Amino acid sequence: MSNFLTEHLIHRDEDFMVIAKPAGILTVPGKTEDLQDCVINRLLKIEPKTLLIHRLDRDTSGILVFALSRWGQKSISRQFQERQTSKTYQAVVAGHLVGQGTIDVPVVYDPEHPPLHIADPQNNKPALTEWQSIEHFEIQGQAVTRVKLTPITGRSHQLRVHMQFLGHPIIGDTLYATPEQQILMPRLCLHAEQLSFHHPKTEEDVQFYCPVPF
């Protein structure tokens, strides 16, 4: 527990730190006692100044930024809210997906089936994802495609729902993939690979990269 920061730190300065989040751990605590182990609680035990900026789903790995000053939190949070950050993910999806495109379909919470979200074209909150095919290969004899995903908006479960909507769910996704697609990999094949934003103090563009583990 105590070496979590050492093992996963990508960058640190006075205003923020960048962590390589492993898959399978929450960003913030859940509502029940058994869901209190999470990235921010582990970091707070080592660095009490840690402040939340954004989140990744429990099963998503990759770049996660935490503030170390109130100014850092305010500045970077504002950039997320105003879509001034640049984020790219990699995913492995089911089937043979070719080319590139944009998915422009609202994603909303499904209150009848928590914690699921659904694509709802009738909703007025936009959700926009750009995708690009990178390579094709097979897992256990099944055709899959590695894709680059760029979320323009930041809705909950957006990338997972959008790939399901496209007909190519993310491999290992226990919420949105078929049982056959879920068992092809032991984890959700979604990873936050790259993030850039303006430094809170210098306003220079800073970019961080976290290698894809699958």
Side-chain angles (χ1 to χ4, degrees):
M1 187 81 74
S2 61
N3 62 2
F4 182 84
L5 183 56
T6 306
E7 290 178 6
H8 300 288
L9 184 66
I10 296 174
H11 169 87
R12 176 175 177 160
D13 62 30
E14 290 182 351
D15 295 291
F16 67 92
M17 59 181 166
V18 182
I19 300 294
K21 176 192 169 299
I25 181 172
L26 293 164
T27 301
V28 297
K31 294 179 180 178
T32 56
E33 190 63 34
D34 59 321
L35 296 176
Q36 298 308 296
D37 181 29
C38 59
V39 175
I40 194 166
N41 280 351
R42 291 189 185 191
L43 293 176
L44 283 167
K45 290 179 180 178
I46 307 163
E47 177 47 82
K49 293 187 293 185
T50 303
L51 298 165
L52 183 69
I53 292 178
H54 68 127
R55 309 179 190 194
L56 291 176
D57 288 348
R58 181 189 63 188
D59 296 330
T60 303
S61 57
I63 293 179
L64 195 53
V65 184
F66 293 90
L68 292 172
S69 69
R70 288 293 177 186
W71 172 247
Q73 184 185 41
K74 180 180 178 181
S75 171
I76 301 171
S77 294
R78 186 183 70 247
Q79 293 181 62
F80 271 96
Q81 291 164 4
E82 296 178 358
R83 303 178 192 171
Q84 296 174 346
T85 62
S86 173
K87 296 174 282 185
T88 59
Y89 291 69
Q90 268 199 35
V92 177
V93 303
H96 192 81
L97 182 59
V98 179
Q100 59 187 20
T102 300
I103 307 167
D104 184 4
V105 183
V107 173
V108 298
Y109 181 67
D110 182 1
E112 295 182 6
H113 304 94
L116 295 182
H117 290 65
I118 55 173
D120 180 8
Q122 307 305 316
N123 194 275
N124 59 3
K125 286 188 176 180
L128 193 64
T129 301
E130 296 174 353
W131 63 269
Q132 179 181 351
S133 172
I134 299 175
E135 66 168 330
H136 303 98
F137 56 103
E138 289 188 355
I139 299 177
Q140 299 179 32
Q142 301 297 310
V144 298
T145 304
R146 185 180 298 276
V147 293
K148 174 184 174 181
L149 300 175
T150 305
I152 308 303
T153 55
R155 307 295 177 202
S156 293
H157 291 195
Q158 176 177 314
L159 300 180
R160 300 165 72 174
V161 172
H162 271 173
M163 297 316 295
Q164 181 197 43
F165 179 82
L166 199 62
H168 297 271
I170 298 174
I171 295 301
D173 193 337
T174 57
L175 294 180
Y176 301 104
T178 67
E180 294 77 16
Q181 295 160 348
Q182 291 175 26
I183 63 173
L184 291 179
M185 287 288 278
R187 59 156 291 177
L188 172 72
C189 288
L190 179 61
H191 177 80
E193 179 183 30
Q194 177 272 332
L195 173 67
S196 61
F197 53 87
H198 296 296
H199 193 284
K201 283 224 174 80
T202 66
E203 296 190 356
E204 292 180 2
D205 187 60
V206 289
Q207 180 164 319
F208 304 99
Y209 176 79
C210 183
V212 181
F214 50 79

mmCIF file of all heavy atoms in Angstrom, residues 43-65:
data_model
loop_
_atom_site.group_PDB
_atom_site.id
_atom_site.type_symbol
_atom_site.label_atom_id
_atom_site.label_comp_id
_atom_site.label_asym_id
_atom_site.label_seq_id
_atom_site.Cartn_x
_atom_site.Cartn_y
_atom_site.Cartn_z
ATOM 1 N N LEU A 43 -3.611 7.345 -2.066
ATOM 2 C CA LEU A 43 -2.728 8.499 -2.215
ATOM 3 C C LEU A 43 -2.778 9.405 -0.991
ATOM 4 O O LEU A 43 -1.741 9.945 -0.566
ATOM 5 C CB LEU A 43 -3.106 9.295 -3.470
ATOM 6 C CG LEU A 43 -2.866 8.590 -4.810
ATOM 7 C CD1 LEU A 43 -3.385 9.449 -5.956
ATOM 8 C CD2 LEU A 43 -1.382 8.271 -5.012
ATOM 9 N N LEU A 44 -3.960 9.583 -0.397
ATOM 10 C CA LEU A 44 -4.097 10.463 0.766
ATOM 11 C C LEU A 44 -3.271 9.973 1.959
ATOM 12 O O LEU A 44 -2.800 10.777 2.770
ATOM 13 C CB LEU A 44 -5.572 10.593 1.167
ATOM 14 C CG LEU A 44 -6.408 11.527 0.289
ATOM 15 C CD1 LEU A 44 -7.896 11.332 0.566
ATOM 16 C CD2 LEU A 44 -5.999 12.987 0.507
ATOM 17 N N LYS A 45 -3.085 8.656 2.060
ATOM 18 C CA LYS A 45 -2.276 8.111 3.155
ATOM 19 C C LYS A 45 -0.802 8.463 2.982
ATOM 20 O O LYS A 45 -0.050 8.522 3.952
ATOM 21 C CB LYS A 45 -2.444 6.595 3.221
ATOM 22 C CG LYS A 45 -3.823 6.169 3.697
ATOM 23 C CD LYS A 45 -3.957 4.660 3.714
ATOM 24 C CE LYS A 45 -5.341 4.245 4.202
ATOM 25 N NZ LYS A 45 -5.525 2.767 4.179
ATOM 26 N N ILE A 46 -0.403 8.697 1.720
ATOM 27 C CA ILE A 46 0.997 9.024 1.427
ATOM 28 C C ILE A 46 1.182 10.523 1.262
ATOM 29 O O ILE A 46 2.170 11.094 1.730
ATOM 30 C CB ILE A 46 1.434 8.305 0.126
ATOM 31 C CG1 ILE A 46 1.143 6.806 0.221
ATOM 32 C CG2 ILE A 46 2.908 8.548 -0.166
ATOM 33 C CD1 ILE A 46 1.152 6.094 -1.116
ATOM 34 N N GLU A 47 0.217 11.165 0.593
ATOM 35 C CA GLU A 47 0.272 12.601 0.323
ATOM 36 C C GLU A 47 -1.069 13.234 0.694
ATOM 37 O O GLU A 47 -2.018 13.226 -0.102
ATOM 38 C CB GLU A 47 0.605 12.849 -1.153
ATOM 39 C CG GLU A 47 0.619 14.317 -1.556
ATOM 40 C CD GLU A 47 1.395 15.186 -0.589
ATOM 41 O OE1 GLU A 47 2.626 15.234 -0.702
ATOM 42 O OE2 GLU A 47 0.747 15.815 0.289
ATOM 43 N N PRO A 48 -1.173 13.780 1.921
ATOM 44 C CA PRO A 48 -2.452 14.311 2.420
ATOM 45 C C PRO A 48 -3.014 15.481 1.607
ATOM 46 O O PRO A 48 -4.183 15.820 1.755
ATOM 47 C CB PRO A 48 -2.113 14.753 3.851
ATOM 48 C CG PRO A 48 -0.899 13.967 4.226
ATOM 49 C CD PRO A 48 -0.125 13.788 2.963
ATOM 50 N N LYS A 49 -2.187 16.120 0.769
ATOM 51 C CA LYS A 49 -2.656 17.265 -0.018
ATOM 52 C C LYS A 49 -3.405 16.845 -1.289
ATOM 53 O O LYS A 49 -3.899 17.698 -2.022
ATOM 54 C CB LYS A 49 -1.467 18.148 -0.414
ATOM 55 C CG LYS A 49 -0.792 18.850 0.743
ATOM 56 C CD LYS A 49 0.267 19.830 0.271
ATOM 57 C CE LYS A 49 1.441 19.126 -0.382
ATOM 58 N NZ LYS A 49 2.525 20.072 -0.740
ATOM 59 N N THR A 50 -3.511 15.554 -1.559
ATOM 60 C CA THR A 50 -4.121 15.058 -2.795
ATOM 61 C C THR A 50 -5.567 15.527 -2.946
ATOM 62 O O THR A 50 -6.373 15.387 -2.031
ATOM 63 C CB THR A 50 -4.087 13.516 -2.828
ATOM 64 O OG1 THR A 50 -2.730 13.074 -2.706
ATOM 65 C CG2 THR A 50 -4.667 12.992 -4.131
ATOM 66 N N LEU A 51 -5.884 16.092 -4.107
ATOM 67 C CA LEU A 51 -7.227 16.591 -4.413
ATOM 68 C C LEU A 51 -7.721 15.999 -5.731
ATOM 69 O O LEU A 51 -6.967 15.884 -6.693
ATOM 70 C CB LEU A 51 -7.215 18.126 -4.524
ATOM 71 C CG LEU A 51 -6.824 18.895 -3.264
ATOM 72 C CD1 LEU A 51 -6.499 20.349 -3.605
ATOM 73 C CD2 LEU A 51 -7.938 18.823 -2.232
ATOM 74 N N LEU A 52 -9.001 15.666 -5.769
ATOM 75 C CA LEU A 52 -9.594 15.037 -6.948
ATOM 76 C C LEU A 52 -9.771 16.042 -8.087
ATOM 77 O O LEU A 52 -10.177 17.183 -7.866
ATOM 78 C CB LEU A 52 -10.950 14.429 -6.586
ATOM 79 C CG LEU A 52 -11.679 13.665 -7.690
ATOM 80 C CD1 LEU A 52 -10.958 12.363 -8.022
ATOM 81 C CD2 LEU A 52 -13.124 13.374 -7.277
ATOM 82 N N ILE A 53 -9.503 15.600 -9.319
ATOM 83 C CA ILE A 53 -9.775 16.404 -10.511
ATOM 84 C C ILE A 53 -10.754 15.680 -11.434
ATOM 85 O O ILE A 53 -11.763 16.233 -11.847
ATOM 86 C CB ILE A 53 -8.476 16.744 -11.275
ATOM 87 C CG1 ILE A 53 -7.628 17.705 -10.444
ATOM 88 C CG2 ILE A 53 -8.803 17.360 -12.645
ATOM 89 C CD1 ILE A 53 -6.297 18.061 -11.074
ATOM 90 N N HIS A 54 -10.465 14.429 -11.765
ATOM 91 C CA HIS A 54 -11.341 13.659 -12.660
ATOM 92 C C HIS A 54 -11.254 12.194 -12.276
ATOM 93 O O HIS A 54 -10.551 11.831 -11.328
ATOM 94 C CB HIS A 54 -10.954 13.875 -14.134
ATOM 95 C CG HIS A 54 -9.617 13.277 -14.502
ATOM 96 N ND1 HIS A 54 -9.438 12.425 -15.562
ATOM 97 C CD2 HIS A 54 -8.388 13.389 -13.925
ATOM 98 C CE1 HIS A 54 -8.169 12.064 -15.634
ATOM 99 N NE2 HIS A 54 -7.517 12.634 -14.663
ATOM 100 N N ARG A 55 -11.973 11.342 -12.982
ATOM 101 C CA ARG A 55 -12.040 9.928 -12.619
ATOM 102 C C ARG A 55 -11.873 9.045 -13.853
ATOM 103 O O ARG A 55 -12.111 9.469 -14.974
ATOM 104 C CB ARG A 55 -13.389 9.592 -11.983
ATOM 105 C CG ARG A 55 -13.790 10.504 -10.846
ATOM 106 C CD ARG A 55 -15.150 10.130 -10.290
ATOM 107 N NE ARG A 55 -15.639 11.138 -9.356
ATOM 108 C CZ ARG A 55 -16.651 10.955 -8.538
ATOM 109 N NH1 ARG A 55 -17.314 9.813 -8.541
ATOM 110 N NH2 ARG A 55 -17.034 11.916 -7.717
ATOM 111 N N LEU A 56 -11.483 7.808 -13.592
ATOM 112 C CA LEU A 56 -11.574 6.734 -14.576
ATOM 113 C C LEU A 56 -12.442 5.634 -13.977
ATOM 114 O O LEU A 56 -12.443 5.428 -12.763
ATOM 115 C CB LEU A 56 -10.195 6.156 -14.911
ATOM 116 C CG LEU A 56 -9.210 7.035 -15.697
ATOM 117 C CD1 LEU A 56 -7.878 6.313 -15.837
ATOM 118 C CD2 LEU A 56 -9.773 7.387 -17.071
ATOM 119 N N ASP A 57 -13.171 4.908 -14.819
ATOM 120 C CA ASP A 57 -13.937 3.757 -14.345
ATOM 121 C C ASP A 57 -13.015 2.769 -13.633
ATOM 122 O O ASP A 57 -11.820 2.680 -13.949
ATOM 123 C CB ASP A 57 -14.605 3.029 -15.529
ATOM 124 C CG ASP A 57 -15.755 3.812 -16.124
ATOM 125 O OD1 ASP A 57 -16.189 4.799 -15.509
ATOM 126 O OD2 ASP A 57 -16.217 3.419 -17.213
ATOM 127 N N ARG A 58 -13.557 2.010 -12.731
ATOM 128 C CA ARG A 58 -12.770 1.018 -11.984
ATOM 129 C C ARG A 58 -11.960 0.107 -12.900
ATOM 130 O O ARG A 58 -10.776 -0.170 -12.648
ATOM 131 C CB ARG A 58 -13.702 0.156 -11.122
ATOM 132 C CG ARG A 58 -12.979 -0.899 -10.289
ATOM 133 C CD ARG A 58 -13.956 -1.842 -9.636
ATOM 134 N NE ARG A 58 -14.708 -2.600 -10.643
ATOM 135 C CZ ARG A 58 -15.737 -3.389 -10.363
ATOM 136 N NH1 ARG A 58 -16.160 -3.499 -9.123
ATOM 137 N NH2 ARG A 58 -16.348 -4.049 -11.322
ATOM 138 N N ASP A 59 -12.576 -0.354 -13.975
ATOM 139 C CA ASP A 59 -11.917 -1.350 -14.821
ATOM 140 C C ASP A 59 -11.075 -0.755 -15.940
ATOM 141 O O ASP A 59 -10.465 -1.477 -16.716
ATOM 142 C CB ASP A 59 -12.974 -2.299 -15.405
ATOM 143 C CG ASP A 59 -13.677 -3.097 -14.316
ATOM 144 O OD1 ASP A 59 -13.038 -3.371 -13.283
ATOM 145 O OD2 ASP A 59 -14.866 -3.434 -14.490
ATOM 146 N N THR A 60 -11.036 0.581 -16.027
ATOM 147 C CA THR A 60 -10.201 1.265 -17.013
ATOM 148 C C THR A 60 -8.862 1.596 -16.389
ATOM 149 O O THR A 60 -8.789 2.052 -15.250
ATOM 150 C CB THR A 60 -10.883 2.563 -17.488
ATOM 151 O OG1 THR A 60 -12.169 2.256 -18.015
ATOM 152 C CG2 THR A 60 -10.056 3.264 -18.550
ATOM 153 N N SER A 61 -7.791 1.388 -17.132
ATOM 154 C CA SER A 61 -6.454 1.748 -16.659
ATOM 155 C C SER A 61 -5.972 3.011 -17.362
ATOM 156 O O SER A 61 -6.589 3.491 -18.307
ATOM 157 C CB SER A 61 -5.472 0.595 -16.932
ATOM 158 O OG SER A 61 -5.449 0.269 -18.321
ATOM 159 N N GLY A 62 -4.852 3.559 -16.859
ATOM 160 C CA GLY A 62 -4.224 4.662 -17.564
ATOM 161 C C GLY A 62 -4.084 5.941 -16.773
ATOM 162 O O GLY A 62 -4.125 5.949 -15.538
ATOM 163 N N ILE A 63 -3.942 7.038 -17.494
ATOM 164 C CA ILE A 63 -3.561 8.326 -16.915
ATOM 165 C C ILE A 63 -4.678 8.942 -16.073
ATOM 166 O O ILE A 63 -5.809 9.092 -16.530
ATOM 167 C CB ILE A 63 -3.154 9.303 -18.025
ATOM 168 C CG1 ILE A 63 -1.852 8.822 -18.686
ATOM 169 C CG2 ILE A 63 -2.971 10.707 -17.482
ATOM 170 C CD1 ILE A 63 -1.377 9.699 -19.801
ATOM 171 N N LEU A 64 -4.300 9.310 -14.846
ATOM 172 C CA LEU A 64 -5.227 9.924 -13.906
ATOM 173 C C LEU A 64 -4.477 11.059 -13.207
ATOM 174 O O LEU A 64 -3.369 10.862 -12.708
ATOM 175 C CB LEU A 64 -5.694 8.877 -12.903
ATOM 176 C CG LEU A 64 -6.908 9.133 -12.027
ATOM 177 C CD1 LEU A 64 -8.131 9.525 -12.856
ATOM 178 C CD2 LEU A 64 -7.225 7.892 -11.198
ATOM 179 N N VAL A 65 -5.081 12.256 -13.200
ATOM 180 C CA VAL A 65 -4.422 13.437 -12.630
ATOM 181 C C VAL A 65 -5.077 13.829 -11.306
ATOM 182 O O VAL A 65 -6.305 13.887 -11.210
ATOM 183 C CB VAL A 65 -4.509 14.638 -13.597
ATOM 184 C CG1 VAL A 65 -3.737 15.826 -13.041
ATOM 185 C CG2 VAL A 65 -3.979 14.266 -14.959
#
